Amino acid sequence: MDIDDRANLSEFDIIARYFSNIGFASPPGNAAVALSVGDDCAILTVPAGQRLALSIDTLVEGRHFPTGADPFAIAERALAVCISDLAAMGAKPLAFTLALTLPAADRVWLDAFSRGLHESANHYLIPLVGGDICAGPLSITIQVHGALPANAGLLRRGAVPGDLIFVTGKLGDAAAALDMLQGRLQADYAQQQYLNSRFYRPDARVVLGQALLDVASAAIDVSDGLLADLGHILSASHVAAKIFSEQLPISSTLAAVAGREQVVDYALRGGDDYELCFTAGAQHRQQLVEYAELFDVPIAEIGEIKPGMGVSCIGDNGDELNTEHRGFQHFQ
Ligand code: ADP
Ligand code: MG
């Protein structure tokens, strides 16, 4: 569509120009889409024998990302954060919808945002099939639709005493990135680049998540901090956990920018990493080593499920750490 660059953009211009063809570069993602952007509803075909898994997330400027942040990066992050819930469920991405509240129809912003969304949508093989746009303070809501084999799904309940506890990737980087962006943590240029990318480009573990359907007894993605999110598995499963600070996976960058105590704190309490935390019986250990290799995702064993309630964390020196003050919560 050709729109005069000096004219004001209408809602329909914005949809046609920036949001009509997102994520369709990736053929496998298109199979489920019977009807996309432009009608009253989108229509999806759920693969035979499968069920729909749905999840929605809102990101608000100044709360979930810094005011004035790069729109390309915001878009990538918004979609990855939402896809991470599909990963934590073991679901395969099918399609997503987008509700945007925008302070203004700013072409430069919209252009970068839609390019970021396109990049991320093609990466995760998930097309944009509909949405809504209205005026107001910047906020981005994405709903993802995924497919799960009937009767399968990585729930939070299901962990039993004796299961091992695993996390993917590295923990604490995203929280350190936020501290750095807000001037509370010093880092050199290369460290800043790494930490920034860990905050803005979380790697939603969708392929591994689907493989874990046959292996994990419970799973969650780490959005609010390991203690908080592991805590959800524990309360849903009615069990306790014992974890070891020495086994927490830490990036060399994080280890270099902060003292050990603060590093452990970032890993235990820092949110926004969007790694998976899951439990599995010890008989699956070798399988997980193979998955880590096959899917190129580090998987660290950090502890064990016990009978009882709550998390105990053994520090580097063998003493138990305080595990109070868990993660971020709204309305507190
Ligand atoms: P309605 O009045 O039925 O809600 P809209 O005018 O809001 O329809 O949207 C027209 C079409 O454009 C619909 O297919 C809708 O899904 C799609 N759409 C609206 N906003 C977006 C967006 N931000 N991204 C993708 N599709 C969008
Ligand atoms: Mg509408």
Side-chain angles (χ1 to χ4, degrees):
M1 184 164 184
D2 198 16
I3 299 163
D4 182 340
D5 274 344
R6 289 151 303 180
N8 286 332
L9 288 174
S10 75
E11 184 187 329
F12 301 106
D13 298 335
I14 294 175
I15 296 164
R17 191 175 224 193
Y18 300 107
F19 299 112
S20 286
N21 204 19
I22 300 265
F24 281 90
S26 41
N30 299 354
V33 181
L35 186 66
S36 186
V37 172
D39 216 306
D40 298 316
C41 289
I43 303 178
L44 301 183
T45 306
V46 181
Q50 308 230 334
R51 298 192 294 181
L52 266 188
L54 304 184
S55 175
I56 188 163
D57 275 303
T58 294
L59 302 190
V60 175
E61 181 176 49
R63 178 155 281 262
H64 299 100
F65 56 87
T67 303
D70 172 12
F72 186 98
I74 296 170
E76 283 199 303
R77 174 169 150 76
L79 186 56
V81 161
C82 220
I83 301 267
S84 175
D85 283 318
L86 291 180
M89 210 64 194
K92 180 178 178 193
L94 286 181
F96 73 103
T97 51
L98 164 72
L100 260 186
T101 309
L102 295 174
D106 175 340
R107 288 164 203 275
V108 175
W109 193 95
L110 280 163
D111 186 60
F113 182 84
S114 85
R115 281 187 292 108
L117 204 58
H118 202 62
E119 180 103 1
S120 189
N122 284 334
H123 174 73
Y124 291 111
L125 307 179
I126 189 168
L128 174 62
V129 296
D132 197 28
I133 296 184
C134 71
L138 180 58
S139 135
I140 298 144
T141 298
I142 290 180
Q143 182 165 39
V144 286
H145 302 68
L148 269 176
N151 303 318
L154 300 174
L155 308 190
R156 296 177 180 187
R157 59 171 193 256
V160 294
D163 280 355
L164 305 175
I165 304 167
F166 299 89
V167 290
T168 61
K170 309 290 179 194
L171 292 177
D173 287 338
L178 262 189
D179 273 358
M180 181 193 74
L181 289 166
Q182 290 164 357
R184 290 191 295 268
L185 186 72
Q186 300 303 312
D188 69 25
Y189 183 73
Q191 292 165 340
Q192 287 177 26
Q193 296 288 99
Y194 170 80
L195 293 175
N196 255 322
S197 84
R198 292 280 294 152
F199 177 77
Y200 281 113
R201 307 192 65 201
D203 205 344
R205 307 297 188 181
V206 258
V207 182
L208 176 68
Q210 291 164 65
L212 290 179
L213 282 172
D214 296 328
V215 171
S217 50
I220 194 167
D221 60 330
V222 180
S223 55
D224 296 332
L226 178 67
L227 289 176
D229 291 315
L230 175 58
H232 293 312
I233 289 184
L234 302 181
S235 46
S237 303
H238 306 289
V239 288
K242 185 176 189 181
I243 61 174
F244 297 88
S245 64
E246 275 182 328
Q247 291 169 229
L248 296 170
I250 306 295
S251 70
S252 56
T253 303
L254 183 58
V257 295
R260 178 67 189 165
E261 202 175 322
Q262 196 185 356
V263 166
V264 170
D265 200 61
Y266 278 131
L268 290 175
R269 294 181 175 79
D272 296 306
D273 285 316
Y274 297 97
E275 295 296 348
L276 297 183
C277 172
F278 61 95
T279 57
Q283 74 276 19
H284 295 299
R285 226 187 223 136
Q286 185 52 35
Q287 176 70 271
L288 289 169
V289 171
E290 284 164 28
Y291 281 168
E293 180 98 349
L294 183 64
F295 302 120
D296 196 19
V297 178
I299 299 176
E301 184 183 321
I302 61 165
E304 191 177 330
I305 296 293
K306 303 279 184 191
M309 280 173 66
V311 189
S312 80
C313 181
I314 307 303
D316 298 353
N317 62 6
D319 294 343
E320 201 166 318
L321 300 179
N322 177 7
T323 52
E324 294 295 304
H325 304 298
R326 297 168 172 194
F328 176 79
Q329 286 192 27
H330 294 270
F331 308 116
Q332 264 203 345

